[in-house]
Amino acid sequence: MSRSLLLGLLLIFLLIGGLVTLNAFWLELAIPLAVYLLAGFLLAPEKVALTVERQISPERAIPGEAVTITLRITNEGANLPQVGLRDPLPGFAELVDGSFTRLLSLRHGESLAWQYTLRGKRGYHLFPGLEVSASDPFGMVNLRQVAPTGGQLLVLPNVPRVRRLVIRPRVTRVYAGNIPARQGGAGVEFFGLNEYQPGVPMHAVNWHVSARHQEALFINEYEQERVADVGLILDARQRANHLGNGKSIFEHSVLATASMSDAFLNNGNRVGLLIYGLYINWTNPGYGKRQRENILYALARANTAESQVFSGMYIPRRLFPPKSQIVFISPLMPDDVEPLVALRAHDYPIIVISPNVVRYEASLLPDQAPFRQAARILALERYITIQRLRHAGVQVIDWDVTRPFEQTVESLLSRPPAFIRAIGAGSR
Amino acid sequence: MARWLVYLLFGLGYAMLALGWALVLIWPFSLGLLCLAGLGLFAVKKKFHQALDLGFALGVMAAATGISLEMPFPYALGAVLSLLAAWDIDHFSRRLTLAASQDDPRAMLGRHLGQLGLVLLVGLAASLIVLEIRFQFNFELAIGLVLLVFASLAALINWLRKTER
């Protein structure tokens, strides 16, 4: 109930009571209340007309970096005897310095410069406006509005730098890159021999082989190196990422995705990103720095959610070019095996990067026998899931998140997987 | 400081009411008011702010009812003023949580207490003056005045509620 209504009702009660009992004291008791109500009424602000400008420095930050918000407020309306200002903070940020609320009086034409500093984790925030509540000193009349201000804050995820990544997709694009294309031509790695064609430079002639064949000259061919299509899939399903006590492993998945996209783009590949959460958020494939920005922007906004449409994992195959490299970043659930194997059956080379959720959660729990036992059972279940994927020809990186991501990935992805080396595909 | 003032004024208001009711020898109600005060203070301490609204309304009603039962008027008036002050300071102290350190909350509280004191003083003075000056109206004029007061009060409240939206 509003204060003015309560006071009004009490006044009416006293007036009626005085009339009914014919007791003048009731009316005299009402006088202080009436004076208080009238004082509030007389000092009430007429209307609120504030203009607000917002400056955010920097607008794009990295996690933990201090961001200064400056607000310039000008009162273009009547005097405001008491005005409360509140600038709602982004959910992912915390206040470092200053205050995000103010209570002050503003005269007509008066300006105020207000500054505060915050620091945030990964996230994106569009500032909706400044919440203004102007009232008289006694809170009888309270005018509320939201003064529109522009501004957005983007805290990009950390991007650990992975120097070398080796992938062997079966299909590459036409542009030169550093992925062996399984085709002879210009390159550095020996690919095979071919009969001499007019116009080929003489230093390409393999004289040892040509000496053994009188009828023809043979030339060395090298393996072409090209760029490839890479599709990154980030698993943002709530049930896969959320642990007990409000903890989540999702930030590690985001970090891994950012790092992998950066590495692939630095090698000149065409990279697209699919975030699988409440809905399918698709960033169209692209090259270079612009695409890096697009992907980081999408990752900054990524949040976990449960899809209302698909009960399990559904990977829309048409988004990825046939036989292109797929990188799936997920804590992995046992029922993810089937869609991944189905994708593998369509000749997509797949790398699964899986932050080890069992080890991570176990590290957060007390070192007690029941927890150890539960962790062991879950670790076995996870091991079986990973083994099923490996048997289907999926390359799985089981990432212990206590180790730096770049170390883990460089040690496992800096050379072709064992089965590719064994069959010699892609290298020789 | 504001919190302590709220507790003090709320307690004081109910103590005056209890004393007033005790003076007209209705002890159970007096004790009931003291219990209510304790309960109200506990609720306010637990940040259940509606308790103060309720406590204020019940206090005003208890004061008015007490007057009809020959309770001394100064006790009733003192209790109402005290409860009104507690109710106001509680609201202001909640609003004061918005203030940043550069807004100087202590000075704001001091300024507000000054304004409140002035308004209460005016209310008290007006009440005392009215106590001394009593006009005699005929019945029709009295009814007309009462209707006018009701209408203007209703219009004022209606306007205030519309403005707040």
Side-chain angles (χ1 to χ4, degrees), chain A residues 162-182:
Chain A
V162 176
R163 285 191 203 91
R164 186 170 155 74
L165 273 180
V166 175
I167 53 170
R168 293 284 185 270
R170 296 178 74 86
V171 174
T172 52
R173 297 184 69 79
V174 292
Y175 307 113
N178 59 7
I179 297 172
R182 297 187 177 95

Side-chain angles (χ1 to χ4, degrees), chain A residues 232-237 239-240 273-282 305-320 326-330 332-343 346 348 350:
Chain A
L232 299 172
I233 303 171
L234 171 62
D235 182 2
R237 290 172 302 167
R239 68 191 178 105
L273 170 68
L274 186 143
I275 300 174
Y276 189 91
L278 179 63
Y279 53 91
I280 289 171
N281 180 356
W282 174 237
E306 207 54 69
S307 171
Q308 300 298 315
V309 184
F310 309 113
S311 58
M313 172 60 72
Y314 164 74
I315 300 170
R317 223 175 46 236
R318 61 187 168 75
L319 293 177
F320 305 102
I326 303 287
V327 181
F328 182 62
I329 299 110
S330 165
L332 275 183
M333 300 193 73
D335 53 4
D336 294 342
V337 174
E338 264 180 53
L340 289 171
V341 171
L343 206 62
H346 282 89
Y348 285 93
I350 303 175

Side-chain angles (χ1 to χ4, degrees), chain B residues 48-146:
Chain B
F48 181 63
H49 295 286
Q50 283 81 0
L52 211 65
D53 290 349
L54 195 68
F56 171 55
L58 288 178
V60 171
M61 287 179 197
T65 320
I67 286 171
S68 295
L69 298 171
E70 305 298 322
M71 176 182 166
F73 180 68
Y75 286 91
L77 185 63
V80 167
L81 288 175
S82 192
L83 289 175
L84 179 62
W87 185 61
D88 175 272
I89 295 170
D90 174 64
H91 173 261
F92 185 75
S93 68
R94 270 183 282 150
R95 200 153 163 74
L96 208 57
T97 54
L98 285 177
S101 57
Q102 64 260 46
D103 297 331
D104 198 357
R106 285 182 74 89
M108 290 185 87
L109 179 64
R111 211 161 40 242
H112 181 78
L113 290 179
Q115 286 172 330
L116 177 67
L118 191 68
V119 167
L120 293 183
L121 207 63
V122 170
L124 177 67
S127 195
L128 292 177
I129 289 168
V130 170
L131 197 65
E132 294 302 317
I133 306 163
R134 298 209 171 177
F135 295 108
Q136 294 282 331
F137 299 120
N138 60 26
F139 183 72
E140 290 82 7
L141 184 60
I143 289 290
L145 280 175
V146 167

Side-chain angles (χ1 to χ4, degrees), chain A residues 338-397:
Chain A
E338 264 180 53
L340 289 171
V341 171
L343 206 62
R344 183 75 192 95
H346 282 89
D347 241 1
Y348 285 93
I350 303 175
I351 297 172
V352 172
I353 295 175
S354 180
N356 193 321
V357 68
V358 177
R359 205 171 288 176
Y360 176 66
E361 189 168 13
S363 71
L364 302 172
L365 294 170
D367 188 20
Q368 291 169 2
F371 292 124
R372 281 198 300 271
Q373 193 71 13
R376 204 170 151 220
I377 293 167
L378 289 170
L380 278 171
E381 192 181 58
R382 182 176 163 80
Y383 175 77
I384 291 166
T385 305
I386 290 174
Q387 284 304 110
R388 284 174 66 197
L389 285 172
R390 283 182 176 149
H391 288 158
V394 175
Q395 203 177 347
V396 183
I397 295 172

Side-chain angles (χ1 to χ4, degrees), chain A residues 263-279:
Chain A
F264 286 126
L265 286 168
N266 283 345
N267 288 339
N269 298 301
R270 195 171 81 132
V271 181
L273 170 68
L274 186 143
I275 300 174
Y276 189 91
L278 179 63
Y279 53 91

